[in-house]
Amino acid sequence: MPIHLGPYADRLSAHLGFLYTEHPLPERFAAAARDGFRIMEHPNLFATPAKNVAGWMRDSGLTLVQTSFPAGDPSRGEKGFAALPDRAQAFRESIEPTLDYVEEIGGCRFVHAMAGVRPAGVAEERLLDTYRESLGLAADAAAKRGMEIMIEPIGPGSIANYVVDDPLVAVRLIREVGRPNVKLLFDAYHCHCLGHDPAALIREHAALIAHVQIADDPGRHEPGTGTIAFDPIFEALAAVGYAGSVGCEYHPATTTEEGLGWIKGAA
């Protein structure tokens, strides 16, 4: 059965951290463009000078829709650190350089502030207090540049002990931070794996959603390979008037190109 993308057929974003990984990073931009993508995203471009990324985008005709603050030290198992009390100052010091970098690339409005993995022995409320403070500082700095800060809830199937591991926690945090440019990065895959109905949450919290990502379950492969019903998700997005893009953040079951049939066969 084809997936009915509706108005989102032209708004799919190639997540170049997941797709086209059979190519070196500079070649992924052109590969995505050849396959019809006009939008891309990537969470960790900082090892590459911004002018290089901007050049690859210009040459390919792609635009960057969203990226992330640095995720931290992988040797320490860090998956972001905006909620970690002993790393709060490091996050604060990363805000302006990150926004400078994103601004130099050009065109990107959304920056994801990863909360991080719960350290042993630190109270949950202290982690959330730290995250709220970090989000407020980042949002105030981003607002001066016309940018928005995003929270993504990530379940234990992807990152164990992640601080923000449920969409309803993210919704509460957004409201508590109280900044109009703090929004939700809504990943339908994480939502489904956590036992929620993605379409229902879209309809209930549409005003908070800045960006959407998709993958199927099990395997986190391309839509159509698993059990998630995507038609209700796209119908809900259309019903609430979601005007953003939809990130293809999945691991291709084989190669990226071979797995694009779900797009080409969509109605």
Side-chain angles (χ1 to χ4, degrees):
M1 294 287 291
I3 295 170
H4 297 85
L5 297 176
Y8 304 100
D10 296 324
R11 298 189 220 164
L12 297 178
S13 169
H15 191 299
L16 296 188
F18 279 64
L19 305 186
Y20 302 100
T21 56
E22 55 268 34
H23 304 293
L25 180 60
E27 297 177 15
R28 296 178 200 173
F29 293 76
R34 283 195 300 271
D35 286 327
F37 288 103
R38 293 295 173 261
I39 307 167
M40 56 80 58
E41 56 197 86
H42 194 293
N44 186 20
L45 295 165
F46 304 105
T48 304
K51 65 180 181 181
N52 291 12
V53 177
W56 300 334
M57 288 172 50
R58 182 176 59 251
D59 293 345
S60 64
L62 296 176
T63 59
L64 176 65
V65 64
Q66 70 95 11
T67 187
S68 301
F69 284 92
D73 183 353
S75 70
R76 297 172 55 175
E78 288 186 335
K79 301 287 187 180
F81 49 92
L84 309 185
D86 67 342
R87 298 280 277 138
Q89 184 58 36
F91 180 79
R92 293 186 188 106
E93 292 172 357
S94 77
I95 291 173
E96 293 294 347
T98 298
L99 298 180
D100 286 343
Y101 180 91
V102 175
E103 198 166 60
E104 186 178 348
I105 293 175
C108 180
R109 286 180 49 218
F110 303 129
V111 188
H112 172 208
M114 292 189 73
V117 175
R118 295 181 183 90
V122 181
E124 185 78 4
E125 197 52 44
R126 188 178 177 209
L127 294 171
L128 295 179
D129 284 345
T130 302
Y131 196 35
R132 281 188 286 263
E133 184 175 354
S134 294
L135 289 168
L137 293 169
D140 291 344
K144 298 173 184 177
R145 304 171 188 249
M147 297 180 186
E148 301 186 10
I149 303 301
M150 297 191 298
I151 302 174
E152 179 183 14
I154 301 175
S158 297
I159 300 179
N161 296 313
Y162 192 72
V163 172
V164 183
D165 57 4
D166 189 278
L168 299 181
V169 174
V171 166
R172 176 166 62 87
L173 284 167
I174 291 168
R175 290 173 174 159
E176 290 170 348
V177 172
R179 305 301 201 280
N181 65 327
V182 176
K183 296 291 182 66
L184 179 65
L185 196 172
F186 182 85
D187 190 310
Y189 167 78
H190 293 313
C191 182
H192 167 87
C193 291
L194 288 162
H196 294 290
D197 178 346
L201 279 183
I202 288 168
R203 292 175 186 272
E204 186 173 357
H205 301 294
L208 301 181
I209 297 174
H211 184 60
V212 173
Q213 293 175 332
I214 56 173
D216 215 333
D217 178 57
R220 203 174 184 178
H221 298 312
E222 50 266 58
T225 59
T227 62
I228 297 179
F230 285 93
D231 279 0
I233 293 172
F234 285 107
E235 289 167 4
L237 291 172
V240 300
Y242 173 70
S245 55
V246 176
C248 300
E249 190 187 41
Y250 60 77
H251 298 291
T254 54
T255 67
T256 301
E257 287 87 350
E258 289 176 0
L260 293 178
W262 74 275
I263 299 174
K264 296 172 183 176

